[in-house]
């Protein structure tokens, strides 16, 4: 069926000749004011982000220097007996973590072929935002920020600055809305590990996506 | 669909009778519904102001549907601007054919799917299998249902009617070795099996929870991560979308992201919310190279402009109405015999498919109104059910006995002397049927009522007859109360 025919029928059902040229007037847009006007300090945002993510089975490490970040990362990789690590091709992220990765088998997105990322033990990414209300990471994927880096391995580890944590989901969505022409083709909002309750309502973790979701939040950076 | 049993056309009543004999099904449905309902209550209470949120949800959805031509035009133009291809389908057959055409062009041999109610609506799996194309449902519950060659029994948790032993047997048949009934083992089998399918598949098919008009983005809410594999790993991604599934802007998505997961599973947000805008960009190494969006009407546009029915298009497919419905709790999803079960299915199925096939579904309700109260976008479901029943009667689809009974009712109740006469006759006529003070007849016109319960008898004396005596008794008491009381004191305070 043709587009015009399809749309004209909808217009006719709405009692008009064709699609209106102007955008419809709106009384109500988005969330209620009591929701959008909440203000939290950075401390409160970080704590809320951590509490929510931990509640869902995620793991959060709060660190306040680059050295602490590297120690935390090193500990995670060691305790999980990780061997192969995939990572975004992102200079800032790589500078932060590379010294720790020297003793691991590392594949960088866009350098090694994409097929290599099928067999990673852990994927390291940054994140555009965190959301305190829900413990969510916002991963805007494109270019060196490949989707497979965090989707395919059993463990996903993200490095996030405390200042990137917003109070509510709407603030991250507002960013997308105000840069409509530059929006990446895939923006992934990730909250905790992959889960399902499809077998007798019994929760299982790591169904298709990662079974472990680890975030290192760096304060004062 | 399960509308046929042993090759015979059945109604919802026949199918319910079968379902009621399945004790496992009834226990599983009740358990799941209670669990989801309980989680929803906790999630909505902790959010607070739930009624304000519902009102917002209703306003945003109503506005979108009332301007659907504008938003559909804007949305589809933006999908194209982001590199996607847009197709419009008038009905299920055209949508299925459009999918087939894309698959033929790509010479696709294997397809992976993530959960999509629209794909059930257009019966695509069956068609693909006929053409020798492998099609795999990758959502854990949908995979179980597919292996059992059945249809989902719940919008959100498709395989609630299957127990872990049955699931283990299905997975063993599908090639699993040394499986136990342990959830972890079963999940691991599904993960490993699917991982290979994802990497090999030529095309991925998903549904669409919301389309964002201002950007042309398709938004998916999922928990397992399968939709992200389906979207990103095969070269071609096909999105099946009901034409009403839109929101004007990202700002409105925040409202739905607060409403949908809470109403569906009691989560404050699903594990994954994926925002897909067109195909992969230049410089991207993964993601689908080609993205096709198929917009489906299939009876939806008929509801627009119908003052009573338009609100059914506000539905966000959360399944909350199923979980509170006393009928769904007893009979489960399959007894509805349609893609969409529960109260929303009892409204949607007969309006999307005109004719007799689903015309009896609006009667599969006690009209208690729990569905309307549970709906996160305030669809007055029980009003719509009554309206559909009314339509059914107006179109002359009532049994002769029922029509005669209501005609008799009208004759008897329109004049007092006729009513008195009718009552006197009933009092005489019931004598043969009364046992222990009530009527247990399982014969004749009362059968439908008395099969499951007893009918009361007509009282020896009607209230109207008793009123003369009652009135004088009341008058005496009233006069007595007005007499001054001798001992009444005035010093209480």
């Amino acid at each position: 069926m043709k587009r015009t025919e399809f749309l004209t029928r909808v217009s006719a059902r709405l009692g008009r000749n064709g699609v209106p040229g102007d955008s419809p007037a709106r009384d109500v847009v988005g969330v209620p004011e009591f929701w959008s006007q909440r203000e939290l300090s950075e401390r409160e945002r970080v704590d809320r982000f951590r509490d929510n993510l931990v509640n869902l089975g995620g793991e959060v490490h709060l660190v306040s220097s680059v050295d602490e970040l590297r120690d935390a990362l090193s500990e995670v990789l060691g305790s999980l007996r990780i061997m192969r690590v995939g990572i975004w091709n992102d200079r800032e992220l790589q500078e932060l973590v590379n010294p720790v990765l020297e003793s691991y088998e590392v594949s960088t997105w866009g350098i090694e072929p994409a097929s290599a990322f099928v067999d990673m033990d852990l994927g390291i990414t940054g994140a555009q935002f965190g959301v305190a209300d829900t413990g969510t990471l916002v991963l805007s994927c494109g270019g060196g920020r490949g989707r497979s880096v965090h989707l395919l391995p059993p463990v996903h580890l993200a490095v996030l600055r405390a200042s990137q944590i917003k109070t509510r989901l709407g603030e991250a969505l507002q960013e997308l809305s105000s840069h409509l022409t530059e929006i990446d083709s895939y923006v992934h909002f990730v909250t905790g590990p992959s889960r399902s309750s499809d077998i007798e309502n019994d929760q299982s973790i790591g169904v298709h996506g990662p079974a472990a979701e680890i975030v290192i939040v760096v304060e004062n950076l | 669909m399960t509308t046929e049993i042993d090759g015979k056309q059945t109604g919802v009543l026949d199918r319910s009778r079968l379902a009621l004999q399945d004790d496992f099904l009834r226990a599983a449905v009740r358990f799941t519904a209670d669990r989801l309902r309980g989680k929803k209550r906790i999630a909505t209470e902790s959010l607070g102001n739930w009624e304000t949120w519902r009102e917002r949800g209703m306003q945003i959805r109503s506005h979108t549907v009332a301007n659907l031509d504008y938003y559909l035009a804007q949305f589809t133009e933006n999908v194209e601007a982001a590199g996607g291809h847009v197709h419009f389908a008038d009905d299920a057959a055209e949508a299925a054919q459009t999918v087939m055409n894309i698959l033929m062009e790509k010479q696709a041999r294997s397809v992976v799917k993530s959960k999509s109610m629209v794909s059930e609506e257009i019966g695509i799996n069956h068609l693909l299998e006929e053409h020798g194309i492998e099609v795999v449902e990758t959502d854990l519950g949908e995979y179980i249902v597919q292996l059992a060659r059945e249809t989902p029994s719940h919008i959100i948790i498709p395989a609630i009617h299957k127990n872990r032993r049955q699931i283990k047997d299905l997975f063993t048949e599908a090639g699993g070795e040394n499986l136990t009934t342990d959830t972890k083992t079963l999940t691991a089998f599904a993960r490993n099996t699917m991982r290979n399918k994802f990497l090999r598949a030529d095309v991925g098919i998903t549904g669409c929870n919301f389309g964002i008009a201002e950007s042309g983005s398709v938004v998916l809410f999922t928990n397992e991560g399968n939709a992200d594999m389906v979207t990103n790993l095969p070269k071609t991604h096909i999105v099946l979308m009901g034409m009403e599934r839109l929101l004007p802007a990202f700002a409105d998505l925040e409202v739905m992201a607060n409403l949908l997961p809470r109403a569906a599973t009691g989560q404050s947000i699903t594990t994954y919310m994926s925002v897909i805008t067109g195909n992969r960009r230049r410089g991207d190494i993964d993601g689908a190279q080609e993205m096709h969006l198929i917009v489906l009407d299939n009876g939806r546009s008929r509801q627009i402009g119908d003052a009573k029915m338009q609100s059914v298009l506000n539905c966000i497919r959360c399944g909350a109405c199923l979980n509170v419905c006393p009928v769904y709790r007893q009979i489960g999803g399959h007894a509805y015999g349609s893609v969409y079960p529960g109260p929303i299915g009892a409204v949607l199925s007969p309006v999307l498919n005109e004719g007799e096939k689903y015309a009896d579904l609006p009667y599969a309700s006690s009209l208690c109104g729990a569905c309307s109260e549970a709906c996160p976008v305030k669809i007055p479901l029980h009003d719509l059910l009554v309206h559909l029943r009314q339509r059914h009667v107006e179109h002359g689809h009532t049994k002769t006995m029922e029509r005669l009974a209501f005609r008799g009712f009208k004759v008897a109740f329109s004049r007092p002397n006729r009513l008195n006469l009718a009552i006197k006759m009933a009092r005489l006529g019931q004598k043969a049927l009364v046992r222990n003070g009530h009527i247990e007849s399982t014969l004749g016109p009362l059968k439908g009522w008395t099969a499951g319960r007893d009918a009361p008898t007509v009282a020896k004396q009607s209230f109207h007859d008793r009123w003369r005596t009652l009135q004088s008794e009341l008058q005496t008491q009233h006069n007595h109360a007005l007499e001054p009381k001798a001992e009444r004191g005035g010093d209480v305070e």
Side-chain angles (χ1 to χ4, degrees), chain A residues 4 12-14 38 46 63 75 84 93 112 119 135-136 142 146 161 175 188-189 197 199 203:
Chain A
T4 328
R13 296 289 320 186
L14 290 167
R38 291 171 307 139
V46 170
V63 299
E75 204 186 305
R84 287 158 301 184
L93 174 69
E112 273 74 27
D119 296 315
T136 302
R161 293 170 197 277
E175 277 306 303
H188 207 198
F189 292 70
S197 300
I199 298 174
Q203 188 169 85

Side-chain angles (χ1 to χ4, degrees), chain B residues 11 115 347 379 410:
Chain B
K115 188 161 70 187
V347 176
I379 303 173
K410 185 180 161 192

